[in-house]
């Protein structure tokens, strides 16, 4: 069981918007704005998509956005494209001075 | 462009020590506001942060693995290493190395990962 809870799978059609959730506790997501999201295509290195809840690194499409409410962080992908099909992981810093991750969400573009 | 590449045995026997190295290119492992980090993913499960080492050599480990883990740096080779002792089948996983950027609190970049299987 992962420290952060993510839905196992989400699907959407090209052009749609989808939102992935990441639920933690008051000891991690709820207490720190240090939530990041990573995109992982199997066999490749995971790629940073969002950091500090809602900040997008240079080079990442503005179709990706992040937010947080209470103990739940969210990643929204708008204008879904085939290349967005991948696994997505969230992570958070914790009050135990370690980092925790979610179990990952497999995004399928129909 | 900074790149990381894991290397090491793909098969380790139970009770033995798992040893992996992460070669860093495009940046000096001994400078900058970074931590050098190991993360793993057992098959069908989520990611687990193993631990990190700073450029000054200080370490921090996941309490769940702390008694068995050592992370070290080899500045002459510009790489860092992971040792995990007394392994069991539960340690079978894809192991990733990553740079943790202190300023942005992110793991970036990551290596592609290496599968380590614990089996006799």
């Amino acid at each position: 069981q992962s420290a952060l809870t993510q839905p196992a799978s989400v699907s959407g059609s090209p052009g749609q918007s989808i939102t992935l959730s990441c639920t933690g506790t008051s000891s991690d997501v709820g207490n720190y704005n240090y939530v990041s999201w990573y995109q992982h295509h199997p066999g490749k290195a995971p790629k940073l998509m969002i950091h500090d809840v809602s900040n997008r690194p240079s080079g990442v499409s503005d179709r990706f956005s992040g937010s947080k409410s209470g103990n739940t962080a969210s990643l929204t992908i708008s204008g879904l494209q085939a290349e967005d099909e991948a696994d997505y992981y969230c992570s958070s810093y914790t009050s135990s001075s370690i980092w925790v991750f979610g179990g990952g969400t497999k995004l399928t573009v129909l | 462009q900074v790149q990381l590449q894991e290397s090491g045995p793909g098969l380790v026997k139970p009770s033995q020590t798992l040893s992996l190295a992460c070669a860093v290119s495009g940046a000096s492992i001994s400078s900058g506001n970074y931590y050098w980090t190991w993360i793993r993913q057992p098959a069908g499960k989520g990611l687990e942060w193993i631990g990190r080492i700073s450029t000054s050599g200080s370490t921090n480990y996941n309490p769940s693995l702390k008694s068995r883990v050592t992370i070290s740096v080899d500045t002459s080779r510009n790489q860092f290493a992971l040792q995990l002792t007394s392994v069991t089948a539960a340690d079978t996983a894809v192991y990733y190395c990553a740079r943790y950027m202190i300023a942005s609190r992110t793991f970036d970049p990551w290596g592609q990962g290496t599968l380590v299987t614990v089996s006799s």
Side-chain angles (χ1 to χ4, degrees), chain A residues 1-89:
Chain A
Q1 186 175 356
S2 299
L4 304 179
T5 301
Q6 298 182 249
S9 62
V10 167
S11 62
S13 299
Q16 279 188 327
S17 291
I18 59 94
T19 297
L20 311 181
S21 63
C22 170
T23 301
T25 69
S26 58
S27 296
D28 39 65
V29 174
N31 198 36
Y32 299 95
N33 287 326
Y34 302 156
V35 177
S36 298
W37 289 88
Y38 300 88
Q39 178 191 64
H40 186 211
H41 289 104
K44 295 191 174 183
K47 176 186 177 183
L48 174 67
M49 305 303 285
I50 294 286
H51 67 91
D52 292 344
V53 176
S54 60
N55 292 320
R56 198 171 46 248
S58 60
V60 173
S61 171
D62 59 4
R63 297 185 298 105
F64 291 83
S65 61
S67 63
K68 190 185 84 167
S69 177
N71 295 337
T72 298
S74 299
L75 174 70
T76 297
I77 308 174
S78 60
L80 207 56
Q81 299 179 0
E83 67 203 48
D84 299 332
E85 184 164 295
D87 297 323
Y88 290 85
Y89 295 91

Side-chain angles (χ1 to χ4, degrees), chain B residues 41-74:
Chain B
Q41 183 175 28
K45 297 187 178 181
L47 295 164
E48 180 180 34
W49 178 81
I50 298 171
R52 60 85 170 162
I53 188 165
S54 72
T55 53
S56 63
S58 67
T59 54
N60 187 22
Y61 301 127
N62 191 320
S64 67
L65 298 168
K66 187 173 183 177
S67 63
R68 299 192 293 130
V69 173
T70 301
I71 297 176
S72 59
V73 166
D74 183 343

